[in-house]
């Protein structure tokens, strides 16, 4: 009889995880181990979890993000893989998250402090504070209307300076903007 690895379902509650997108064909021939009511399909291995889904982000009591393939796949249904040691604890009270910005792509994402790439330079925040900062950073990255109040010839440089202050200090956006006037 074939033996399958099956983790305790409660081990995924209140977790943060970043999955890496993989070609959907990767799970061909694997035994489906859990089919959720929302339509997500789960395959467990000794190394980690494969999840096939059309929805990522906030899931019930967890935050699971998918890092897409490059180039992006057109299908809405995506396969993600995450090793078991990439599932980190999540709660609303602790300062668990920091932000990473890609200025060339104009994107911002949050990461968990247990991520081995965390260099301890970015300020850690609670989920609520992190969500608020993400919105501020996205507005700074994508809008230009805010810059008309500054005497600046290089909006990209100003944008980067203000965003870095948001990432690496506890100053409010209003305090930071005052410093640049």
């Amino acid at each position: 009889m074939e033996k399958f690895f099956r983790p305790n379902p409660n081990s995924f509650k209140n977790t943060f995880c970043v999955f890496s997108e993989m070609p959907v064909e990767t799970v061909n021939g694997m035994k489906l181990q859990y089919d959720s009511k929302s339509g997500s399909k789960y395959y467990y291995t000794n190394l980690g979890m494969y999840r096939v889904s059309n929805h990522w982000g906030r899931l019930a009591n967890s935050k699971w993000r998918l890092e897409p393939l490059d180039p992006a796949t057109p299908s809405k249904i995506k396969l993600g893989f995450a090793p078991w040691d990439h599932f980190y604890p999540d709660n609303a009270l602790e300062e668990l998250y920091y932000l990473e910005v890609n200025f060339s792509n104009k994107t911002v994402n949050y990461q968990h402090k247990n991520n081995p790439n965390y260099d301890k330079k970015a300020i850690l925040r609670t989920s609520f504070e992190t969500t608020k900062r993400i919105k501020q950073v996205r507005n700074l990255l994508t809008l230009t209307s805010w810059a008309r109040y500054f005497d600046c010839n290089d909006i990209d440089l100003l944008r980067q300076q203000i965003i870095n202050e948001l990432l690496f200090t506890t100053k409010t956006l209003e305090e930071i903007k005052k410093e640049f006037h």
Side-chain angles (χ1 to χ4, degrees):
M1 182 169 146
E2 224 177 322
K3 191 173 185 178
F4 292 101
F5 178 78
R6 179 137 180 136
N8 181 332
N10 290 334
S11 60
F12 305 125
K13 286 186 177 179
N14 299 309
T15 59
F16 168 85
C17 188
V18 178
F19 286 72
S20 298
E21 185 179 358
M22 311 196 76
V24 177
E25 302 79 42
T26 305
V27 293
N28 286 355
M30 294 178 96
K31 180 174 172 30
L32 176 65
Q33 291 175 281
Y34 182 70
D35 196 351
S36 75
K37 291 176 187 170
S38 63
S40 298
K41 299 181 182 334
Y42 297 84
Y43 303 84
Y44 308 121
T45 71
N46 287 327
L47 298 176
M49 174 197 297
Y50 290 93
R51 178 176 186 257
V52 179
S53 185
N54 66 354
H55 58 281
W56 295 84
R58 292 183 85 64
L59 308 161
N61 49 27
S62 295
K63 297 176 184 90
W64 291 357
R65 186 171 68 240
L66 181 68
E67 286 296 322
L69 285 171
D70 189 20
T73 56
S75 173
K76 292 202 183 282
I77 297 174
K78 311 278 186 183
L79 170 68
F81 175 77
W84 295 122
D85 63 356
H86 282 52
F87 288 83
Y88 305 129
D90 175 54
N91 66 63
L93 303 175
E94 288 181 79
E95 295 174 336
L96 298 173
Y97 299 103
Y98 67 96
L99 298 181
E100 289 181 331
V101 175
N102 183 322
F103 289 100
S104 56
N105 292 345
K106 295 192 175 192
T107 58
V108 58
N109 270 316
Y110 62 102
Q111 297 287 354
H112 197 279
K113 71 176 186 174
N114 291 352
N115 175 341
N117 296 329
Y118 179 47
D119 62 9
K120 301 194 181 9
K121 292 179 183 173
I123 299 292
L124 294 175
R125 295 182 171 82
T126 64
S127 296
F128 177 78
E129 293 167 332
T130 300
T131 302
K132 184 177 174 182
R133 290 275 169 146
I134 286 174
K135 184 176 181 181
Q136 292 172 334
V137 170
R138 283 186 180 145
N139 285 339
L140 290 166
L141 287 170
T142 58
L143 304 175
T144 57
S145 56
W146 60 268
R148 72 176 139 223
Y149 303 104
F150 295 88
D151 183 23
C152 174
N153 295 332
D154 187 349
I155 189 173
D156 289 327
L157 177 61
L158 179 61
R159 180 180 276 137
Q160 189 168 349
Q161 290 172 328
I162 292 173
I163 289 172
N164 281 336
E165 288 289 307
L166 283 171
L167 301 182
F168 301 113
T169 72
T170 57
K171 298 174 193 171
T172 66
L173 181 56
E174 292 73 28
E175 291 171 332
I176 295 166
K177 285 181 175 180
K178 281 181 186 175
E179 291 178 4
F180 285 94
H181 273 299

